[in-house]
Amino acid sequence: MMKKVIAAVVLISLLTVAIVQAMEKKTEQPDTASTASVNKEGLAIGAKAPDFELKTLTGETVKLSNLKGKKVMLNFWATWCPPCKAEMPEMEQFYKEKDKDLVILAVNIDPQLEVQKFVDENKITFPILLDAEDKVNEAYQILSIPTTYFIDSKGIIQYKFTGAMTLDIMKDNASRLK
C-alpha cells in the first residue's frame, strides 16, 4: 500500500513539473509569435521601400528607384476585392487633384483577371502596375488588400494604411510626406 502511495506522489510530482514547464514555454511563445506577426504584417514605418520594376497596363516599365525625389502612394489591390473597388473612385479623384511631386502607383496582384476591363469600367487614369509573378506583393509583405504605403522623396516608408481609404485619408497621409 505504501509503495502505491509513494508511486502516486512521484507520478503527481512529475506531472506537476511537466505542466509547469509546459506553461512556462507557452508564456514565452507569445513574444516569439508577436515578433513573427510584426514581421508578417508588412514592412515597418521607417524602412527603405524595396525597389521593384513592373510593367503597366499600357506596357510601360516603372521602376520605383527612378522615382527618387518624388513622393509615392503605393497601393496594392485586386479586381475581386470589394474594399479595393470602393476606394478606386476616390483614388481617381485624388489622382486628378494631387500635387505634381506625388506619384500614385496601384499594384494589381491578380493580373490574370480582367484588369483592363475593370480599369475601363471605372475610368481609372492613374498607373496600374501588374505584379504577374507576385514578387512585389511578397517584397512588401502584403497580407490583406487594399494596403497602401506612403513613401517619401528619399524612398523611406512613412505611413501605411490597410483597408479602403477615403479621399481625406489619402490627402492627409500624402500631405505629411516630405
Side-chain angles (χ1 to χ4, degrees), residues 22-40:
M23 294 297 281
E24 285 177 4
K25 285 184 181 178
K26 279 189 178 179
T27 57
E28 290 174 13
Q29 285 177 344
D31 292 339
T32 308
S34 67
T35 302
S37 68
V38 166
N39 292 337
K40 290 182 179 178

Side-chain angles (χ1 to χ4, degrees), residues 1-60:
M1 177 78 170
M2 190 61 132
K3 288 182 181 179
K4 288 183 180 179
V5 170
I6 292 173
V9 169
V10 169
L11 185 60
I12 290 172
S13 297
L14 289 173
L15 283 172
T16 303
V17 169
I19 290 171
V20 168
Q21 286 181 345
M23 294 297 281
E24 285 177 4
K25 285 184 181 178
K26 279 189 178 179
T27 57
E28 290 174 13
Q29 285 177 344
D31 292 339
T32 308
S34 67
T35 302
S37 68
V38 166
N39 292 337
K40 290 182 179 178
E41 288 176 5
L43 298 175
I45 304 296
K48 180 153 179 54
D51 194 17
F52 62 83
E53 187 173 317
L54 291 175
K55 293 224 180 270
T56 66
L57 274 175
T58 59
E60 298 170 49

Side-chain angles (χ1 to χ4, degrees), residues 66-78:
N66 290 344
L67 300 174
K68 198 161 193 165
K70 294 198 178 264
K71 304 169 198 169
V72 178
M73 184 175 106
L74 182 62
N75 176 266
F76 290 84
W77 69 286

Side-chain angles (χ1 to χ4, degrees), residues 64-96:
L64 184 64
S65 58
N66 290 344
L67 300 174
K68 198 161 193 165
K70 294 198 178 264
K71 304 169 198 169
V72 178
M73 184 175 106
L74 182 62
N75 176 266
F76 290 84
W77 69 286
T79 57
W80 49 262
C81 164
C84 301
K85 292 178 187 179
E87 77 179 353
M88 283 296 168
E90 293 194 49
M91 278 182 67
E92 179 61 26
Q93 183 179 348
F94 182 59
Y95 178 70
K96 290 177 178 175

Side-chain angles (χ1 to χ4, degrees), residues 165-176:
M165 293 184 297
T166 62
L167 182 59
D168 289 337
I169 292 169
M170 291 176 215
K171 286 180 179 179
D172 181 51
N173 283 321
S175 71
R176 294 185 287 155

Side-chain angles (χ1 to χ4, degrees), residues 92-110:
E92 179 61 26
Q93 183 179 348
F94 182 59
Y95 178 70
K96 290 177 178 175
E97 298 173 1
K98 71 174 181 58
D99 292 335
K100 292 182 191 230
D101 64 339
L102 177 72
V103 176
I104 296 176
L105 300 174
V107 178
N108 178 271
I109 64 168
D110 65 351

